[in-house]
Amino acid sequence: MPVDPVNPVPAAPPTTRMAAAAVRGLLRLPHRTKRALAGPAIHRDGNELDLDAQLLLRITRTLPRPEPKPATLRIQARRMAAIGAGQRAPVRVDDSTVTGAAGPLRARLYDPGAADALLAYFHGGGWVIGDLDTHDALCRTLAHTAGIRVLAVDYRLAPEHPYPAAIDDAVAAFRDIVGRAEEFGVAPQRVAVGGDSAGGHLAAVLCQRTRRDGGPAPLLQLLIYPPTDLTGKAESRRTFAEGFALTRTDIDFFDRCFLPPDIDRTQPDVSPLRAETAAGLPRAVVITAGFDPLRDEGEAYADLLRTDGVPVALRRFDGYMHGFVNNALAFGPAVHEIAALLADALPAARESSTDPGADSGRNRAATR
């Protein structure tokens, strides 16, 4: 039975509710009307942009673009997430704290009821924007649909706290969560990690660090359109540099905020795709979007994992753009599918956490 949330979602401002209603109305229009509003179909690199994605993209292009300042962008991210949240899944929600690298961090526990595993989740936002509220709806869906507890962690953001603060926080928080696992209702070996975009980067680097430094390893890793090669050499970064939600200008801004100018971007702690080997890393669920500049490096990381013997479930959503998991109004079925993929990966992950040799010889094919 669904559990009523302990912390109900605060009522959105009237303007946000009106915007959400307008988006919902647009999405309910007949296909022919949506096509007329969105314009001719857009094809790129063998894929066709999803009609709803194209319609929303055309609408957002008419809106004022905020100044590229962290404070302004953070406000916009909260508002856009509230507009696209949709119907939030009914799970128990409790605020908490975990220990970061430099002190306590805010966290939020999503409990669907009976669950024997926990996902430590790191939100996206270019290491600069995003918080517990921007990803509240997503975390509720992951918990409810996958049947897993989710503990969202509010790590320190750049530019106030540049590299490696967010990574250090993610690693410290994971270790604290494992050490307090019973407090969160699971066994220590049942703690997975995940994140979208920058949060996926943190999860990937965390897995490599725990392998390098020893100590507890995550049960599995959920990587949703992660940036894995910050050298920027992936072909999709050029193919989709302009016009599809996340632009080259956006990426450059986030990189300048997060990375020191003289940093070596080829080191695995910055670009996990550059690791010499992925052997011994946790099994992975990797999600990419067809019209995302980060698409190729996410899929290349899945290939690296699989080549080095790590079981991987790879799913590309061909017609979608970067950031789609934060808009359940338009892309709710896809978000539920991601949660189902996570749920499908859990039994084998549990088995391999009990029997370290259980994954040897396995090679899970990607799905497209």
Side-chain angles (χ1 to χ4, degrees):
M1 293 291 291
V3 182
D4 290 333
V6 170
N7 297 333
V9 178
T15 54
T16 301
R17 295 199 301 272
M18 290 174 60
V23 171
R24 191 177 292 109
L26 280 171
L27 296 172
R28 290 174 176 169
L29 290 172
H31 183 278
R32 179 177 298 179
T33 304
K34 288 196 286 188
R35 174 54 69 199
L37 292 172
I42 295 175
H43 296 88
R44 187 73 60 85
D45 203 25
N47 295 323
E48 179 176 325
L49 185 63
D50 176 79
L51 176 57
D52 287 340
Q54 185 178 342
L55 177 61
L56 294 177
L57 181 63
R58 184 156 194 178
I59 297 301
T60 56
R61 284 175 176 169
T62 67
L63 303 176
R65 189 169 178 85
E67 293 182 87
K69 295 181 178 180
T72 305
L73 294 174
R74 289 165 188 167
I75 292 170
Q76 185 205 37
R78 293 187 194 102
R79 183 170 187 270
M80 296 303 291
I83 291 171
Q87 185 68 39
R88 299 182 193 243
V91 295
R92 181 185 179 93
V93 183
D94 289 293
D95 288 330
S96 185
T97 59
V98 296
T99 300
L105 302 171
R106 293 195 313 142
R108 189 172 292 169
L109 179 65
Y110 300 85
D111 183 359
D116 68 350
L118 180 145
L119 176 71
Y121 194 85
F122 306 104
H123 65 76
W127 312 277
V128 174
I129 62 178
D131 55 28
L132 299 180
D133 292 334
T134 60
H135 286 65
D136 179 82
L138 171 62
C139 289
R140 288 171 184 259
T141 298
L142 291 174
H144 184 263
T145 303
I148 187 173
R149 288 181 172 86
V150 175
L151 186 62
V153 177
D154 208 13
Y155 55 88
R156 290 174 293 164
L157 297 176
E160 297 90 342
H161 305 282
Y163 174 94
I167 297 171
D168 292 343
D169 277 348
V171 174
F174 171 73
R175 288 175 175 158
D176 183 49
I177 293 165
V178 171
R180 299 163 54 196
E182 292 186 3
E183 177 184 333
F184 296 117
V186 299
Q189 66 271 26
R190 295 289 191 268
V191 180
V193 296
D196 61 291
S197 194
H201 171 267
L202 298 182
V205 174
L206 183 161
C207 289
Q208 291 196 11
R209 273 207 191 177
T210 57
R211 180 191 59 178
R212 181 194 71 193
D213 299 340
L219 176 67
L220 59 79
Q221 50 186 323
L222 170 66
L223 310 179
I224 302 174
Y225 36 72
T228 64
D229 187 358
L230 274 59
T231 67
K233 296 186 182 303
E235 182 63 31
S236 59
R237 289 205 181 204
R238 291 182 287 274
T239 303
F240 305 104
E242 302 297 335
F244 298 103
L246 181 67
T247 67
R248 176 184 291 144
T249 300
D250 298 328
I251 292 173
D252 289 346
F253 171 78
F254 291 136
D255 282 1
R256 287 196 304 273
C257 288
F258 180 56
L259 296 176
D262 58 348
I263 195 168
D264 177 6
R265 296 187 179 212
T266 66
Q267 60 175 304
D269 222 39
V270 176
S271 297
L273 182 59
R274 299 303 182 109
E276 290 185 5
T277 178
L281 293 175
R283 78 171 43 235
V285 176
V286 180
I287 306 299
T288 62
F291 285 77
D292 183 357
L294 304 184
R295 182 196 69 192
D296 289 357
E297 62 204 80
E299 295 179 3
Y301 195 64
D303 289 342
L304 173 67
L305 292 167
R306 189 181 297 109
T307 297
D308 288 340
V310 178
V312 177
L314 170 63
R315 172 68 162 98
R316 179 200 288 184
F317 290 87
D318 289 325
Y320 292 172
M321 299 178 292
H322 191 85
F324 73 86
V325 298
N326 284 103
N327 191 334
L329 272 183
F331 312 116
V335 178
H336 282 276
E337 183 180 340
I338 292 169
L341 287 170
L342 174 61
D344 289 345
L346 283 172
R350 293 187 189 100
E351 179 184 347
S352 60
S353 72
T354 303
D355 175 10
D359 278 341
S360 74
R362 292 185 181 178
N363 183 15
R364 181 170 296 182
T367 59
R368 286 289 182 93

